[in-house]
Amino acid sequence: MDSKTEPKSFVIKGDICYSTSPQEVSCTQNGYLVCVDGKSAGVFGELPQSYAELPLVDCTGQLVVPGMSDIHVHAPQYAFRGLGMDLELLDWLNTHTFPEEAKYADLAYAGDAYEIFADDLRHSATTRAVVFGTLHVPATELLMDDLEATGLVTYVGKVNMDRNSPDNLVEDSAESAEATRGWVADVTGRYERTHPIITPRFTPSVTDGLMAELADIAHQNDLPVQSHLSENLSEIGWVKELCPWSTCYGDAYDHFGLLGEKTIMAHCVYSTDEEVDLLRRTGTYVAHCPQSNAQLASGIAPIRRYLDLGMNVGLATDVAGGADLSMWRCMADAVAVSKLRWRLVDQSLSPLITQEAFWMATMGGGSFFGKVGSFAEGYELDALVLDDSAIRTPRDLTVWERLERYVYLAEEGGYLTRKFVAGRQIDLD
Amino acid sequence: MDSKTEPKSFVIKGDICYSTSPQEVSCTQNGYLVCVDGKSAGVFGELPQSYAELPLVDCTGQLVVPGMSDIHVHAPQYAFRGLGMDLELLDWLNTHTFPEEAKYADLAYAGDAYEIFADDLRHSATTRAVVFGTLHVPATELLMDDLEATGLVTYVGKVNMDRNSPDNLVEDSAESAEATRGWVADVTGRYERTHPIITPRFTPSVTDGLMAELADIAHQNDLPVQSHLSENLSEIGWVKELCPWSTCYGDAYDHFGLLGEKTIMAHCVYSTDEEVDLLRRTGTYVAHCPQSNAQLASGIAPIRRYLDLGMNVGLATDVAGGADLSMWRCMADAVAVSKLRWRLVDQSLSPLITQEAFWMATMGGGSFFGKVGSFAEGYELDALVLDDSAIRTPRDLTVWERLERYVYLAEEGGYLTRKFVAGRQIDLD
């Protein structure tokens, strides 16, 4: 199917799994997932007569699960993924990240780099992503072009940074706001699947004046917002110095009206009680980035607490703090670090279970995009078809056990055979 | 080359890396690794005239690194890797592990399971392994047959357990010792590359009487020893109850003469000062199992301390506490958890760097097998040839950067093209 064509109506037959709550996964062996005009009409053990005429995509024996939403990933950092993981956040930014991001002033370099990023994302388990670009408008629009062509649904941010940044990666405050208004005007309505998101890098990089301007742009254009929050202890101390008027780091965003149900804050490792309450009350999304928080020696976010409070929580790779785009690895890491946190930090917060990681990767982050991340009736049909036959065992496994081990073993021998976004099949060649 | 034939003499051309100290990796672009009669004659920037007549294995553009030693892995647990990671050690053993291991009384099941394990290990980055079987002698000998056929070099243990174990997975003390003597007699000299190792499961499963017998068998037959030590807090408390005479858990082995340079103790997460000193003085190997220690909520071992003390430390997957056989993933995990330990537990122990993880995976564990894990002159030639061309980046990378990212990205697009053990090429088809 061409990703440009209208979503089709069809039926996928296979071993179908999706979350019905954070702790529960519905599994149907040899089931039928019905897609009507790009939306799920539900999962059935027997195909209802009313759908018998739809084309059948026969994936018998393969797992069929909702697509994953990676709600925090830095496209320009993909070029140095797996490198330079020897520093904490602020030194890592200055040593590895800012010099790389400065290269995206060069459109030829950006073109080479973003083509790789978009192509690898297309082949990954991710169907929806929320993406940081750089401060450069032309490179960010090129990134949006590349992502649109993948068929995935994404939000992409031109980054804003007007202080505490190197000379070759910093903006004049007024020009930064102006460039952002121009970029928003440029890209609004240009794409079918690729949307702008307002992206102040983080409080240390953005003056109060620019932060207020960005909030204004977001509100005027009804745009979502993404940034970073309470990732690292030095960062938090610095924000306190930079915004002495703030009651907590989260307040340094909330003060400008930047939190809410259309905002994603990455990390939230060290959020105070006040900040947690602020995130909860505003409905702000927490992007949990377990691998990044380990590799940058940041810590482990108390995700159990956020789930217990019913907060909006999704998973994210945070490339290049995380080394790769695998949402499977991200799920496995989320479970693993939650156990270390329980053991080493706070035994009042029980470890996450694999079902909860799966829920966060699908429904938790998916809800940022609307009715996404489930096969319940009415959800946009994002689906992955997974061949797990190369992951060998002498045991007979239930469908759930096959999915459970896939989370941990996807990279061993798992194979993504088909991928659908809102009912459109993605080209995996 | 047939793995049964004598090791060949040949030259590998490629981008060659090996550790020269825990913190330093020698990298030679377009270098020549010379193998003479199965041993390294060194790495050269220009091929010396004296080796010009040797056959050339041209791996230009590919990485060439020493093989990895996985010094703690449970073959029978491979069947349920990636499943049931929801419990701590002692409950996990009773719920998931012991029921699986009991199945190996059935040789047909063991045959199916071990064929998969051996085949996957053959295709992995591991060239040498130290392996737990089960208490069943016939299944363990079958495992040894399968491993011998891979061409890898391994130590394999028939497990001993005569207390605190389920009825279908426990031995009479005298029969356990007798069976072990019989097994040792059976397999000694039978294989070229596969050797017995005495394997009391851990103190909670082995009475003092049997422990003494096993030490006797090890000493009489000059055999190495493997077991578990100080993995989990409940386990440590239990050992204190079971061996009230012991001054620490390590003493419960040392008392019988079971520690030493031919002994591997897995985990050592919570070793006391006394125990650390015991391990150091005896030269006992610590098998660091970072993924397992996270997934079983055990904790994080203080590996920086062990390295600073000059102790023998290697890396291990500990399947099925760890989910897979990837020593690349094991290295990445070792670095990641060391950062979390630094952040959350003890800032006096600096995080590990990638070079140190590489050293542990190659030389650290390799030295248990003799002169193994390096390309320095005189070392047995275990080598991996790695095609990293599918891991795309717009950057120009140094040879070291390519290896560094391979540690983190092997599963993304790395490809093992050739594998040599003691100069013999392994069949990767």
Side-chain angles (χ1 to χ4, degrees), chain A residues 79 81 83-85 88 100 119-120 295 297-298 323 329 339 342-343 392-393 395 401 404 409 412, chain B residues 79 81 83-85 88 100 119-120 295 297-298 323 329 339 342-343 392-393 395 401 404 409 412:
Chain A
R81 68 196 183 284
L83 293 173
M85 289 195 175
E88 275 196 275
E100 179 66 28
D119 196 50
D120 283 1
Q295 290 294 3
S298 301
R329 172 71 190 271
K339 292 169 180 170
W342 172 83
R343 172 87 275 156
R392 294 176 296 173
T393 178
R395 282 197 181 190
E401 286 175 324
E404 181 185 10
L409 301 176
E412 176 188 310
Chain B
R81 68 196 183 285
L83 293 173
M85 291 195 173
E88 275 196 275
E100 179 66 29
D119 196 50
D120 283 1
Q295 290 294 3
S298 301
R329 173 70 191 272
K339 292 169 180 170
W342 171 82
R343 171 87 274 156
R392 295 176 295 172
T393 178
R395 283 196 179 190
E401 285 175 326
E404 181 185 11
L409 301 176
E412 176 189 310

Side-chain angles (χ1 to χ4, degrees), chain A residues 190-256:
Chain A
R190 182 193 288 180
Y191 305 105
E192 192 178 351
R193 295 174 285 273
T194 314
H195 312 289
I197 181 168
I198 297 302
T199 306
R201 179 168 212 119
F202 69 157
T203 299
S205 301
V206 181
T207 60
D208 291 359
L210 179 56
M211 203 71 91
E213 281 286 328
L214 294 175
D216 191 51
I217 296 170
H219 297 151
Q220 279 182 353
N221 297 276
D222 197 25
L223 293 179
V225 173
Q226 63 180 345
S227 195
H228 298 89
L229 178 62
S230 295
E231 174 177 4
N232 167 289
L233 295 170
S234 303
E235 170 208 20
I236 294 169
W238 197 13
V239 169
K240 191 70 209 167
E241 289 172 26
L242 291 165
C243 301
W245 49 265
S246 62
T247 59
C248 63
Y249 188 172
D251 181 50
Y253 296 114
D254 187 55
H255 177 81
F256 301 101

Side-chain angles (χ1 to χ4, degrees), chain B residues 193-239:
Chain B
R193 294 173 286 272
T194 314
H195 313 289
I197 182 168
I198 297 302
T199 306
R201 178 168 211 119
F202 67 158
T203 299
S205 301
V206 181
T207 60
D208 291 359
L210 179 56
M211 203 71 90
E213 282 286 329
L214 294 175
D216 191 51
I217 296 169
H219 297 150
Q220 279 182 353
N221 297 277
D222 196 23
L223 293 178
V225 172
Q226 63 179 344
S227 195
H228 298 90
L229 178 61
S230 295
E231 174 176 4
N232 167 289
L233 295 170
S234 304
E235 170 207 19
I236 294 169
W238 197 12
V239 169

Side-chain angles (χ1 to χ4, degrees), chain A residues 78-86 88 96 100 103 109 112-113 116 119-120 232-233 270 293-300 323-324 329 332-333 335-337 339-340 342-345 391-395 397 401 404-405 408-409 411-412, chain B residues 78-86 88 96 100 103 109 112-113 116 119-120 232-233 270 293-300 323-324 329 332-333 335-337 339-340 342-345 391-395 397 401 404-405 408-409 411-412:
Chain A
Y78 195 63
F80 71 96
R81 68 196 183 284
L83 293 173
M85 289 195 175
D86 52 351
E88 275 196 275
H96 298 297
E100 179 66 28
K103 296 180 188 172
Y109 185 85
D112 290 347
I116 295 171
D119 196 50
D120 283 1
N232 167 289
L233 295 170
Y270 295 104
N293 294 336
Q295 290 294 3
L296 297 181
S298 301
I300 304 172
D324 62 53
R329 172 71 190 271
D333 286 338
V335 174
V337 301
K339 292 169 180 170
L340 289 176
W342 172 83
R343 172 87 275 156
L344 301 174
V345 180
I391 307 175
R392 294 176 296 173
T393 178
R395 282 197 181 190
L397 300 181
E401 286 175 324
E404 181 185 10
R405 70 172 189 164
Y408 298 93
L409 301 176
E411 276 77 28
E412 176 188 310
Chain B
Y78 196 64
F80 71 97
R81 68 196 183 285
L83 293 173
M85 291 195 173
D86 52 352
E88 275 196 275
H96 297 298
E100 179 66 29
K103 296 180 188 173
Y109 185 85
D112 290 346
I116 296 171
D119 196 50
D120 283 1
N232 167 289
L233 295 170
Y270 295 104
N293 294 337
Q295 290 294 3
L296 297 181
S298 301
I300 304 171
D324 62 53
R329 173 70 191 272
D333 286 337
V335 174
V337 301
K339 292 169 180 170
L340 289 176
W342 171 82
R343 171 87 274 156
L344 301 173
V345 179
I391 308 175
R392 295 176 295 172
T393 178
R395 283 196 179 190
L397 300 181
E401 285 175 326
E404 181 185 11
R405 70 172 189 166
Y408 298 92
L409 301 176
E411 276 76 29
E412 176 189 310

Side-chain angles (χ1 to χ4, degrees), chain A residues 70 72-80 92-93 97 101 104 114 117 130-134 143 159 199 201 226-228 231 266-267 292 317-321 325:
Chain A
D70 183 351
H72 183 72
V73 55
H74 293 264
Q77 297 175 19
Y78 195 63
F80 71 96
W92 177 81
L93 287 172
T97 306
E101 292 196 12
Y104 290 74
Y114 285 152
F117 171 77
V130 187
V131 183
F132 271 59
T134 62
L143 171 62
V159 172
T199 306
R201 179 168 212 119
Q226 63 180 345
S227 195
H228 298 89
E231 174 177 4
H267 307 304
S292 171
T317 61
D318 191 28
V319 164
L325 293 171

